[in-house]
Amino acid sequence: MEPATSSARDLRIAQILLFVTPAMFTTNMVMARATAGLIPPVALAELRWIGVVLVLLPFCGRELWRSRIALRREWWHLVVLGFLGMGVCGAAVYYGAFTTTATNIGLIYATSPVMIILLSRMLFAERFSLRQGIGTALALAGVLAIILRGDLSTILHLTFTPGDLIILGAAIAWALYSVLLKHWRSTLSVTARLSAIAFAGVAVMLPVQAYELAVIGPPTFDLRTVAAVATLILVPGVGAYATFGYMTKHLGPNRTGLMLYLAPVYTALMAWLLLGEAFAFYHWLGAALVLPGLYFATHKPDPA
């Protein structure tokens, strides 16, 4: 059920963002693989979220100062969300990218919607309608069609690397982050709350960052690394998390989480546009199932 404060306009915007935001998250998956070995994973996550805080502060600094009593009241929520959303879903993803591919990251993250549904049910007894169930099943079938390349026998030969298992842990953390973000109410705006969560995430990662610096040393800054960090700050940092927070507020975690079903489709599309890889039939099959599935799962029929 949408919050009572969600207007029809809010819902329409959130539904449009449902198809835009996955492209921004996919950028993080591609960049995670592209920067593997270039920037240490914790340093990359820290730089990304420090940058997000600096970008957002001019827009919400006054609100954060006015809301300092609320921040003290919500501090432990912010720490948990920062640990899950910026720590585990940040540094862990970059670490896992050393031993897996961007495509695998997208495919594994596509299991998050199911985890979100289960956690919402287990932790908060959130209901899930038959219409949403049918849409989710269609979208999941589309993801499986891409994973298995249209051949069910492929499941017998699936193998997993350490990076795959790390990404699976990050996907679980993302599902928990999504559910808690919705159900832990906040008086802060979406932008101010994201800034506070990002700051908490940076603080939580500081001990791990100190260890990484002692063992690996600081990253080398050149044009390539600066461009990579800037991309991560603006696209999957500010852009994706802000729109995700907006969608979670107006659509709820279950329906918002379904956007991750688009990740494999978008990854394949980016590979086609940037790398010249052709769409195979199973990509078309997956898209043909995912897109209507998302529609049924996120759009309610108009009342008679």
Side-chain angles (χ1 to χ4, degrees):
M1 178 179 293
E2 291 84 15
T5 55
S6 295
S7 66
R9 177 177 175 273
D10 291 328
L11 294 178
R12 281 195 300 271
I13 292 172
Q15 287 163 349
I16 292 171
L17 290 175
L18 192 71
F19 293 89
V20 177
T21 305
M24 293 188 281
F25 275 114
T26 299
T27 303
N28 188 49
M29 299 165 191
V30 174
M31 291 299 295
R33 183 60 181 167
T35 57
L38 183 64
I39 308 174
V42 181
L44 182 58
E46 286 279 60
L47 289 170
R48 173 187 177 188
W49 291 110
I50 290 172
V52 168
V53 172
L54 293 176
V55 169
L56 293 180
L57 271 181
F59 302 97
C60 62
R62 289 185 180 179
E63 179 186 348
L64 288 171
W65 176 250
R66 291 195 303 266
S67 305
R68 53 192 181 277
I69 296 176
L71 288 172
R72 287 198 293 269
R73 185 172 59 247
E74 299 176 23
W75 74 267
W76 74 275
H77 285 183
L78 300 173
V79 169
V80 171
L81 291 170
F83 170 74
L84 293 172
M86 286 69 191
V88 181
C89 294
V93 171
Y94 301 143
Y95 185 75
F98 279 101
T99 53
T100 190
T101 64
T103 299
N104 277 19
I105 295 173
L107 292 173
I108 294 169
Y109 254 87
T111 64
S112 291
V114 175
M115 299 179 197
I116 290 172
I117 292 167
L118 294 176
L119 287 172
S120 295
R121 184 72 177 176
M122 290 168 55
L123 298 178
F124 299 101
E126 188 165 312
R127 298 180 65 183
F128 200 62
S129 69
L130 177 61
R131 180 186 177 90
Q132 288 175 290
I134 293 172
T136 301
L138 279 173
L140 181 58
V143 170
L144 289 174
I146 295 173
I147 292 175
L148 302 178
R149 297 175 179 268
D151 182 2
L152 289 176
S153 65
T154 304
I155 200 170
L156 300 175
H157 308 292
L158 288 177
T159 58
F160 298 94
T161 68
D164 291 330
L165 299 179
I166 292 171
I167 299 302
L168 178 61
I172 295 171
W174 177 258
L176 186 55
Y177 170 89
S178 303
V179 173
L180 295 179
L181 186 70
K182 167 65 178 179
H183 289 278
W184 284 350
R185 300 291 185 177
S186 176
T187 59
L188 301 171
S189 67
V190 171
T191 303
R193 194 183 190 194
L194 174 58
S195 298
I197 294 171
F199 182 83
V202 169
V204 166
M205 287 189 285
L206 282 176
V208 186
Q209 175 67 90
Y211 175 78
E212 183 184 81
L213 285 172
V215 174
I216 302 177
T220 300
F221 290 99
D222 55 25
L223 183 60
R224 185 180 176 191
T225 56
V226 170
V229 171
T231 300
L232 288 172
I233 290 171
L234 297 176
V235 183
V238 175
Y241 273 71
T243 56
F244 183 85
Y246 184 91
M247 290 187 297
T248 299
K249 178 179 179 180
H250 297 293
L251 294 178
N254 286 351
R255 294 167 72 189
T256 299
L258 294 173
M259 70 166 190
L260 291 173
Y261 282 136
L262 280 173
V265 179
Y266 281 24
T267 301
L269 182 60
M270 289 181 71
W272 173 57
L273 291 173
L274 301 178
L275 304 176
E277 296 180 6
F279 259 33
F281 82 93
Y282 53 84
H283 290 130
W284 294 111
L285 175 62
L289 292 169
V290 168
L291 295 176
L294 285 173
Y295 177 80
F296 282 117
T298 61
H299 287 70
K300 287 189 174 183
D302 295 328

